[in-house]
Amino acid sequence: MPTNHTVTLDTKSLSDILDNLNEDNRRLAMLSALRAGGKVLQANTKESLKKKLGSGATSTSDRNKFPMEKGVRLIVDKDYNEVVVSIMKDYRLKWFEMGSDQRYLKKDHPKDEKHRKTLRKGEYRGRIGATNFFGEARQNEGPVCDAIVEELAKQINKLMK
């Protein structure tokens, strides 16, 4: 049974506490909180991908050695204090997120070992419908914000001891 978590935050006291910390501790606390939020977004994106694509998100083949869900990555940049969740590690994820136009062959492919029959220019090759799994995961920002606030409180408590 799902429960709603309510976080009460006094921003005045939080800003006073953050002002009293030295710059390195403040930066590490903020980066740790952002990393926790990024991990939640990454997990939500993978879950949404599995829900939309089913077993195609976790399967491998001779051509694709890694499952598509491994293409959702978390990038932490300590120099700029930023955390990025990206789907661009695996090029296939872009096509499933945004979809594609209808595709046709641009030239003839004669019969050989790779092509068992002659493929003619103009043959229809299909299209990929947009699933918007990443956009759906980004819209649900409640758990991400909760994780950021929880981790920030944990880091501040740890530093104040």
Side-chain angles (χ1 to χ4, degrees):
M1 150 170 166
T3 60
N4 292 333
H5 300 286
T6 305
V7 176
T8 305
L9 187 64
D10 183 12
T11 57
K12 175 78 171 114
S13 64
L14 179 63
S15 64
D16 290 341
I17 291 170
L18 287 175
D19 288 340
N20 290 335
L21 294 175
N22 66 14
E23 186 176 336
D24 288 338
N25 288 340
R26 180 179 28 218
R27 185 177 60 80
L28 289 175
M30 294 297 284
L31 190 62
S32 177
L34 290 175
R35 181 182 291 125
K39 285 181 181 179
V40 170
L41 179 59
Q42 181 183 27
N44 289 349
T45 303
K46 286 181 179 182
E47 182 181 313
S48 179
L49 176 65
K50 289 177 191 175
K51 185 174 73 173
K52 298 277 185 164
L53 295 183
S55 65
T58 57
S59 63
T60 60
S61 68
D62 290 339
R63 178 183 292 170
N64 301 304
K65 303 290 185 208
F66 299 103
M68 280 197 282
E69 71 175 346
K70 278 197 158 197
V72 180
R73 67 178 171 172
L74 178 69
I75 304 164
V76 178
D77 190 350
K78 294 178 183 178
D79 295 332
Y80 291 109
N81 279 346
E82 71 178 11
V83 175
V84 177
V85 177
S86 173
I87 62 170
M88 294 308 291
K89 184 176 181 181
D90 190 343
Y91 68 94
R92 298 172 290 172
L93 292 175
K94 175 188 168 199
W95 303 116
F96 285 103
E97 170 68 16
M98 297 171 41
S100 69
D101 294 335
Q102 293 183 355
R103 297 173 298 143
Y104 298 90
L105 286 180
K106 294 180 181 154
K107 63 179 185 175
D108 289 341
H109 295 276
K111 184 176 180 178
D112 58 8
E113 291 111 28
K114 188 175 179 182
H115 303 95
R116 299 190 195 280
K117 65 176 190 172
T118 301
L119 301 174
R120 298 285 174 209
K121 178 180 178 180
E123 283 188 33
Y124 182 64
R125 304 317 271 165
R127 65 181 287 274
I128 300 172
T131 58
N132 298 318
F133 64 91
F134 190 50
E136 180 181 291
R138 286 187 359 218
Q139 282 180 346
N140 189 8
E141 58 190 37
V144 175
C145 292
D146 291 344
I148 290 172
V149 170
E150 183 180 319
E151 182 66 24
L152 187 59
K154 188 168 100 177
Q155 289 296 321
I156 289 174
N157 287 337
K158 185 169 122 180
L159 291 172
M160 296 305 285
K161 288 184 180 179

